[in-house]
Amino acid sequence: MLKSATIAAGIFTLAACGDAQTSSQNKTPAGAETAADVKSDTLVAYETFTLDNGLKTILHIDRSDPVVAVALTAHVGSAREKEGRTGFAHLFEHLLFLESENLGKGGLDQMSARIGGSGANGSTSRDRTNYFQTVPKDALEKMIWAEADKLGWFINTVTDPVLAKEKQVVKNEKRQSVDNRPYGHSQYVTDKALYPEGHPYNWQVIGSLEDLDAATLEDVKEFFRRWYVPNNVTLTISGDFDVEQAKEWVEKYFGEIPRGEDVAKQPRQAGVLPETKSYYWEDNFARLPQLTMTWPTVPVYDADSYPLAVLNSLLTEGKDAPLNKVLIDDKKLTSTLFMFPYESEVAGQMTLGVRANPGTKLDDVKTAIDEAFAKFEADGIKDADLNRIKTQAEVDFYSGIQSVLGKGFQLAQYDVYLGDPGYIDTDLARIKGVTKEDVMRVYGKYIKGQPFVATSFVPKGQKELALAGAELANVVEEKIVQGAEQAVDPNVVATYEKTPSSFDRSVEPPYGETPVVKAPTLWEAGMDNGLKVYGIEDREIPVVQFDLTIEGGQLLDTFEKTGTANLVAEMMNKGTANRTTAELEKALQSLGASVNITAGSESIRLRGETLSRNFDAVMTIVAEMMLEPRWDAEEFDLAKLRIDSQLTQAKSNPNAIAAEEFGKIVYGENNILSRNIMGSADTLANITLDDLKAFYAANISPSVAKLHVVGAVTDAEVKAAAARLGTDWAAKEVSIPSYAMAADPSESKVYFYNVPGAKQSVLRFGYSGPKAGDTELYPATVMNYILGGGGFASRLTQELREGKGYTYGIRSGFQGSKTNGFFQIGSGVRSNVTLEATDLVKDILTNYGSTFTDEDLGVTKSFLSKSQTRAFETQGAKLGMLRSISVFGLPSDYAQQRANYLEGVTVDDIQKLATDYIRPQAMHYVIVGDASTQMERLKELGFGDPVLLNPTSE
């Protein structure tokens, strides 16, 4: 019997903030006539029009949420750079957010915060650079005004001091994403070998530090003037808006920007590889040897790219995939392998990577890969395998266009690369149309017996593990020198001549009509065995996402056998009583479903996604997975081997080290959550298969479980599909231990973990904080917005990144779970300013409450209230809402309650919260970096001698 109740989460109107709630009506400027094209008979309907200056605009209407995504895509990436002047395309991705003539310094970020946007962001590839944001619908005119200012009223604001500072930020990004990571230089070595000098893909998108240092102001301006012109840009507007009004605004704000030189399409230029090339590198951060093999293939959207994608899946995805079968199951050489296409506009490549087990010779890995390829050739392709891969690809395709931003991205990508935003239907049809013959043909043409680039990245001192005959790679590593970088003065004001306009662009446009946010209607049901079910019907795409949360997780581990909960979750993915691992995977994939069970600190969660037409069949399999795990002994051994390898690699990853060491300190040694959820080498050795069975029997119960479902299914369909979980799953009493967090420090202490040669120092500062269900958590989060929760609007970002160039990014935040919570600041800073960055953070925290202003409060209120328009846009967001209510105990109208709090909060309230929750003089300061150059200097913070956490490393 099912006990049901329907809950309406409610409708609430956003408080008007700032400008009057009116929209301007502007006539089309002279000389801005447009050519229009409408296409409605397509998966994502759209309309295009082109201004006389060449700017193409794509419009897509989606009224499911009161939001609009705006994206400006310039058809320029690193491929348009000159040798010796690399990194410019990516540099502009940074510069264009800093200042423009009419928004002023930091104006875009400040506006994004006021209007409740998702945060102005961008990305750069080999072939294009885009700038994007999702905003409430009432801010569309503001966004069009701001994007036009980037294109026509920006370049004069770039001065030598601005350029010098932003170079430091980009260098920090490279250190974080490449130099300070295991295997970070592998792509560089591959591309240098695959693409000859003069080829536009010979260098990396981020460029080289040497080229960035050498770049002059005139170099940078020349690049902008050549490529950032209306006839090389696509503007995409997707969401809930008035089409004719949007056209008027586009014509008003973009129409007078001059057309640039014509831009010719770059010709296709495949990688040049007459013979196999092999290189090795001893990686300071690697603990496991890694082999990559890369073959030249085809550009993006080439007809052969579709069967190549299927080939990739056939070779690597699933228990029976030949590479998995030979390398993982049979020879046990690795627990981690990957294969992916890297397809761009003028060329493409396919990379196979294997991260081998400790001490494994990569020659043995290469031999096993050849055996796997031979097995693939001998076995051929089964119709069922081809169909399941194409079905899963269809699900992934739909998932990519859930949001208005996702739809806008896809339309822009098709237009930039193909000149056809309506290619989406052809794209999906080509995915579905791949045949077995297509796959075998591209395997023979691009992979079998073809030359490739091999890279062997091995731990320091283990050169003997590299492929025989490999040459030493030419990798340039930065030397960290104290005081090497030029100091940056954040107070310098750029002076420049303003660009003329036919009207006053310095006046920010007004808001439009205030959007009304309608929170989703959710329903709730209860099963007789105690299982609770929560759902939201959402028919925007033919997909269903679901989550089954079982409370407990790592909290149910013992100290002697930490890692048990994680292994239980792993093994519940590995077959059922009636299906092997391979049979289970194939059954799910044939239905277009992905289902995965993972363990967390306080729960074990099953998460899945499927086509809605197959939801009932998928839930039948989910019931098998939950009620009839297979407990296969061989899979158990493989899982332990895989986890052991992951633990080994994590020992050299500075970010992983920082997270683990901070957890040990903030939780305390007597709290099970201070231990790595995967366990350790010692605890893994203690765990048996019987331990997993006992954990499952005692703790996996509907009495502590909640099922959440969002998608194109009714509540009746969900209840019917989940019926077996209600009838055959026996309830039991589960006792979940309670652990106290470590006492907060009475005075600050600095902890240092030594990673010799680190190019960055990773910072984790903090202490305990409110739990998820505490009434103080949301007010504390509101207080933190201007401090470090507001992205580029936050003081930490503005001072450490924008002001000093110390870091690529820094955030602070309160993280609350059901049983605990903490406040944490996290960043990666360049090594030689570790002290200066830490001291600046301390000063910002010390002065935060006393310097918080009415203006700060206005920005906070505006962002947090207006951003509610985006709160329930995707299925994932709706699932998060259900879990907030069911798992963390928030009321069903929590969104309205938060809106009410925001309306009434005052500066005095924020200052009191800052006094209560921001304590820089009583904080844990955890730093992971190079002790030989940085640790001694940290005494100057005034917190005593730093504690070295791994003294044997010296």
Side-chain angles (χ1 to χ4, degrees), residues 794-818:
S794 73
R795 292 188 185 177
L796 288 171
T797 297
Q798 283 298 313
E799 298 204 34
L800 271 82
R801 171 174 163 153
E802 301 304 306
K804 296 291 188 181
Y806 288 166
T807 181
Y808 174 55
I810 182 169
R811 293 189 69 85
S812 65
F814 290 86
Q815 302 173 43
S817 65
K818 190 170 183 178

mmCIF file of all heavy atoms in Angstrom, residues 794-818:
data_model
loop_
_atom_site.group_PDB
_atom_site.id
_atom_site.type_symbol
_atom_site.label_atom_id
_atom_site.label_comp_id
_atom_site.label_asym_id
_atom_site.label_seq_id
_atom_site.Cartn_x
_atom_site.Cartn_y
_atom_site.Cartn_z
ATOM 1 N N SER A 794 33.610 38.674 -5.119
ATOM 2 C CA SER A 794 34.077 38.510 -3.750
ATOM 3 C C SER A 794 35.390 39.249 -3.503
ATOM 4 O O SER A 794 36.192 39.465 -4.414
ATOM 5 C CB SER A 794 34.262 37.029 -3.428
ATOM 6 O OG SER A 794 35.407 36.515 -4.092
ATOM 7 N N ARG A 795 35.604 39.600 -2.260
ATOM 8 C CA ARG A 795 36.824 40.329 -1.904
ATOM 9 C C ARG A 795 38.065 39.450 -2.061
ATOM 10 O O ARG A 795 39.127 39.946 -2.464
ATOM 11 C CB ARG A 795 36.720 40.837 -0.464
ATOM 12 C CG ARG A 795 35.674 41.907 -0.288
ATOM 13 C CD ARG A 795 35.732 42.519 1.102
ATOM 14 N NE ARG A 795 34.637 43.465 1.299
ATOM 15 C CZ ARG A 795 34.411 44.103 2.434
ATOM 16 N NH1 ARG A 795 35.211 43.895 3.478
ATOM 17 N NH2 ARG A 795 33.397 44.944 2.539
ATOM 18 N N LEU A 796 37.960 38.195 -1.717
ATOM 19 C CA LEU A 796 39.129 37.323 -1.848
ATOM 20 C C LEU A 796 39.604 37.261 -3.293
ATOM 21 O O LEU A 796 40.798 37.360 -3.575
ATOM 22 C CB LEU A 796 38.800 35.918 -1.330
ATOM 23 C CG LEU A 796 38.648 35.780 0.178
ATOM 24 C CD1 LEU A 796 38.105 34.403 0.543
ATOM 25 C CD2 LEU A 796 39.980 36.024 0.886
ATOM 26 N N THR A 797 38.664 37.107 -4.225
ATOM 27 C CA THR A 797 39.035 37.057 -5.635
ATOM 28 C C THR A 797 39.538 38.413 -6.108
ATOM 29 O O THR A 797 40.555 38.505 -6.815
ATOM 30 C CB THR A 797 37.838 36.616 -6.490
ATOM 31 O OG1 THR A 797 37.470 35.291 -6.121
ATOM 32 C CG2 THR A 797 38.179 36.645 -7.970
ATOM 33 N N GLN A 798 38.840 39.465 -5.756
ATOM 34 C CA GLN A 798 39.227 40.789 -6.227
ATOM 35 C C GLN A 798 40.625 41.178 -5.745
ATOM 36 O O GLN A 798 41.394 41.794 -6.484
ATOM 37 C CB GLN A 798 38.208 41.830 -5.756
ATOM 38 C CG GLN A 798 36.913 41.827 -6.554
ATOM 39 C CD GLN A 798 37.136 42.160 -8.024
ATOM 40 O OE1 GLN A 798 37.829 43.111 -8.357
ATOM 41 N NE2 GLN A 798 36.554 41.363 -8.898
ATOM 42 N N GLU A 799 40.979 40.787 -4.532
ATOM 43 C CA GLU A 799 42.271 41.221 -3.999
ATOM 44 C C GLU A 799 43.396 40.254 -4.357
ATOM 45 O O GLU A 799 44.487 40.683 -4.735
ATOM 46 C CB GLU A 799 42.169 41.414 -2.486
ATOM 47 C CG GLU A 799 41.169 42.505 -2.097
ATOM 48 C CD GLU A 799 41.455 43.113 -0.739
ATOM 49 O OE1 GLU A 799 42.640 43.238 -0.368
ATOM 50 O OE2 GLU A 799 40.486 43.457 -0.039
ATOM 51 N N LEU A 800 43.171 38.939 -4.273
ATOM 52 C CA LEU A 800 44.264 38.008 -4.541
ATOM 53 C C LEU A 800 44.463 37.738 -6.022
ATOM 54 O O LEU A 800 45.598 37.593 -6.476
ATOM 55 C CB LEU A 800 44.034 36.677 -3.807
ATOM 56 C CG LEU A 800 44.606 36.639 -2.384
ATOM 57 C CD1 LEU A 800 43.642 37.292 -1.405
ATOM 58 C CD2 LEU A 800 44.908 35.221 -1.945
ATOM 59 N N ARG A 801 43.376 37.667 -6.798
ATOM 60 C CA ARG A 801 43.523 37.429 -8.230
ATOM 61 C C ARG A 801 43.582 38.728 -9.011
ATOM 62 O O ARG A 801 44.548 39.007 -9.709
ATOM 63 C CB ARG A 801 42.375 36.560 -8.755
ATOM 64 C CG ARG A 801 42.374 36.471 -10.284
ATOM 65 C CD ARG A 801 41.359 35.511 -10.846
ATOM 66 N NE ARG A 801 41.143 35.762 -12.274
ATOM 67 C CZ ARG A 801 40.751 34.854 -13.153
ATOM 68 N NH1 ARG A 801 40.536 33.625 -12.755
ATOM 69 N NH2 ARG A 801 40.569 35.172 -14.417
ATOM 70 N N GLU A 802 42.519 39.523 -8.909
ATOM 71 C CA GLU A 802 42.432 40.735 -9.727
ATOM 72 C C GLU A 802 43.395 41.818 -9.259
ATOM 73 O O GLU A 802 43.939 42.568 -10.064
ATOM 74 C CB GLU A 802 40.999 41.262 -9.718
ATOM 75 C CG GLU A 802 39.968 40.273 -10.251
ATOM 76 C CD GLU A 802 40.298 39.791 -11.647
ATOM 77 O OE1 GLU A 802 40.488 40.647 -12.530
ATOM 78 O OE2 GLU A 802 40.401 38.577 -11.843
ATOM 79 N N GLY A 803 43.618 41.899 -7.945
ATOM 80 C CA GLY A 803 44.497 42.936 -7.430
ATOM 81 C C GLY A 803 45.966 42.594 -7.489
ATOM 82 O O GLY A 803 46.798 43.405 -7.890
ATOM 83 N N LYS A 804 46.309 41.361 -7.100
ATOM 84 C CA LYS A 804 47.718 40.988 -6.964
ATOM 85 C C LYS A 804 48.213 39.975 -7.987
ATOM 86 O O LYS A 804 49.425 39.824 -8.159
ATOM 87 C CB LYS A 804 47.952 40.405 -5.562
ATOM 88 C CG LYS A 804 47.729 41.382 -4.423
ATOM 89 C CD LYS A 804 48.794 42.466 -4.411
ATOM 90 C CE LYS A 804 48.689 43.339 -3.166
ATOM 91 N NZ LYS A 804 49.723 44.407 -3.166
ATOM 92 N N GLY A 805 47.322 39.230 -8.628
ATOM 93 C CA GLY A 805 47.771 38.203 -9.555
ATOM 94 C C GLY A 805 48.418 37.015 -8.869
ATOM 95 O O GLY A 805 49.228 36.301 -9.465
ATOM 96 N N TYR A 806 48.052 36.769 -7.589
ATOM 97 C CA TYR A 806 48.656 35.670 -6.834
ATOM 98 C C TYR A 806 48.100 34.306 -7.228
ATOM 99 O O TYR A 806 48.752 33.275 -7.023
ATOM 100 C CB TYR A 806 48.413 35.854 -5.330
ATOM 101 C CG TYR A 806 49.205 36.949 -4.661
ATOM 102 C CD1 TYR A 806 48.853 37.393 -3.391
ATOM 103 C CD2 TYR A 806 50.307 37.539 -5.279
ATOM 104 C CE1 TYR A 806 49.575 38.401 -2.747
ATOM 105 C CE2 TYR A 806 51.023 38.551 -4.649
ATOM 106 C CZ TYR A 806 50.645 38.971 -3.375
ATOM 107 O OH TYR A 806 51.350 39.965 -2.742
ATOM 108 N N THR A 807 46.855 34.273 -7.724
ATOM 109 C CA THR A 807 46.149 33.003 -7.881
ATOM 110 C C THR A 807 45.279 33.019 -9.124
ATOM 111 O O THR A 807 44.951 34.098 -9.648
ATOM 112 C CB THR A 807 45.265 32.718 -6.640
ATOM 113 O OG1 THR A 807 44.605 31.460 -6.800
ATOM 114 C CG2 THR A 807 44.195 33.799 -6.478
ATOM 115 N N TYR A 808 44.900 31.842 -9.565
ATOM 116 C CA TYR A 808 43.914 31.711 -10.636
ATOM 117 C C TYR A 808 42.502 31.763 -10.061
ATOM 118 O O TYR A 808 41.569 32.231 -10.708
ATOM 119 C CB TYR A 808 44.144 30.399 -11.375
ATOM 120 C CG TYR A 808 43.101 30.063 -12.408
ATOM 121 C CD1 TYR A 808 42.781 30.952 -13.424
ATOM 122 C CD2 TYR A 808 42.444 28.831 -12.375
ATOM 123 C CE1 TYR A 808 41.822 30.633 -14.383
ATOM 124 C CE2 TYR A 808 41.496 28.503 -13.328
ATOM 125 C CZ TYR A 808 41.182 29.406 -14.324
ATOM 126 O OH TYR A 808 40.236 29.086 -15.262
ATOM 127 N N GLY A 809 42.332 31.282 -8.829
ATOM 128 C CA GLY A 809 41.011 31.316 -8.218
ATOM 129 C C GLY A 809 41.082 31.059 -6.726
ATOM 130 O O GLY A 809 41.978 30.368 -6.235
ATOM 131 N N ILE A 810 40.143 31.635 -5.978
ATOM 132 C CA ILE A 810 40.055 31.423 -4.541
ATOM 133 C C ILE A 810 38.598 31.548 -4.134
ATOM 134 O O ILE A 810 37.863 32.389 -4.661
ATOM 135 C CB ILE A 810 40.937 32.428 -3.769
ATOM 136 C CG1 ILE A 810 40.862 32.157 -2.257
ATOM 137 C CG2 ILE A 810 40.571 33.878 -4.097
ATOM 138 C CD1 ILE A 810 41.904 32.929 -1.458
ATOM 139 N N ARG A 811 38.181 30.690 -3.219
ATOM 140 C CA ARG A 811 36.788 30.720 -2.740
ATOM 141 C C ARG A 811 36.756 30.455 -1.245
ATOM 142 O O ARG A 811 37.657 29.816 -0.685
ATOM 143 C CB ARG A 811 35.933 29.668 -3.441
ATOM 144 C CG ARG A 811 35.716 29.905 -4.915
ATOM 145 C CD ARG A 811 34.692 28.956 -5.496
ATOM 146 N NE ARG A 811 33.351 29.236 -4.990
ATOM 147 C CZ ARG A 811 32.529 30.148 -5.514
ATOM 148 N NH1 ARG A 811 32.898 30.861 -6.551
ATOM 149 N NH2 ARG A 811 31.327 30.339 -5.012
ATOM 150 N N SER A 812 35.705 30.918 -0.621
ATOM 151 C CA SER A 812 35.413 30.527 0.758
ATOM 152 C C SER A 812 33.958 30.096 0.826
ATOM 153 O O SER A 812 33.145 30.518 -0.005
ATOM 154 C CB SER A 812 35.663 31.693 1.733
ATOM 155 O OG SER A 812 34.757 32.766 1.482
ATOM 156 N N GLY A 813 33.640 29.245 1.792
ATOM 157 C CA GLY A 813 32.261 28.807 1.885
ATOM 158 C C GLY A 813 31.985 27.945 3.099
ATOM 159 O O GLY A 813 32.907 27.369 3.697
ATOM 160 N N PHE A 814 30.710 27.882 3.461
ATOM 161 C CA PHE A 814 30.241 27.001 4.519
ATOM 162 C C PHE A 814 29.677 25.742 3.877
ATOM 163 O O PHE A 814 28.842 25.822 2.978
ATOM 164 C CB PHE A 814 29.167 27.698 5.362
ATOM 165 C CG PHE A 814 29.705 28.813 6.198
ATOM 166 C CD1 PHE A 814 29.828 30.097 5.676
ATOM 167 C CD2 PHE A 814 30.102 28.584 7.505
ATOM 168 C CE1 PHE A 814 30.345 31.124 6.436
ATOM 169 C CE2 PHE A 814 30.619 29.623 8.278
ATOM 170 C CZ PHE A 814 30.739 30.897 7.740
ATOM 171 N N GLN A 815 30.160 24.588 4.295
ATOM 172 C CA GLN A 815 29.716 23.312 3.742
ATOM 173 C C GLN A 815 29.090 22.499 4.867
ATOM 174 O O GLN A 815 29.774 22.082 5.791
ATOM 175 C CB GLN A 815 30.899 22.558 3.135
ATOM 176 C CG GLN A 815 31.606 23.347 2.042
ATOM 177 C CD GLN A 815 32.863 22.676 1.561
ATOM 178 O OE1 GLN A 815 32.889 21.470 1.353
ATOM 179 N NE2 GLN A 815 33.935 23.452 1.380
ATOM 180 N N GLY A 816 27.788 22.314 4.760
ATOM 181 C CA GLY A 816 27.082 21.596 5.820
ATOM 182 C C GLY A 816 26.508 20.286 5.331
ATOM 183 O O GLY A 816 25.887 20.229 4.268
ATOM 184 N N SER A 817 26.729 19.226 6.070
ATOM 185 C CA SER A 817 26.069 17.954 5.803
ATOM 186 C C SER A 817 25.129 17.663 6.967
ATOM 187 O O SER A 817 24.930 18.502 7.843
ATOM 188 C CB SER A 817 27.104 16.837 5.632
ATOM 189 O OG SER A 817 27.798 16.631 6.846
ATOM 190 N N LYS A 818 24.558 16.469 6.995
ATOM 191 C CA LYS A 818 23.557 16.171 8.015
ATOM 192 C C LYS A 818 24.153 16.132 9.415
ATOM 193 O O LYS A 818 23.514 16.540 10.385
ATOM 194 C CB LYS A 818 22.870 14.846 7.699
ATOM 195 C CG LYS A 818 21.661 14.564 8.572
ATOM 196 C CD LYS A 818 20.879 13.373 8.064
ATOM 197 C CE LYS A 818 19.618 13.147 8.898
ATOM 198 N NZ LYS A 818 18.808 12.027 8.387
#
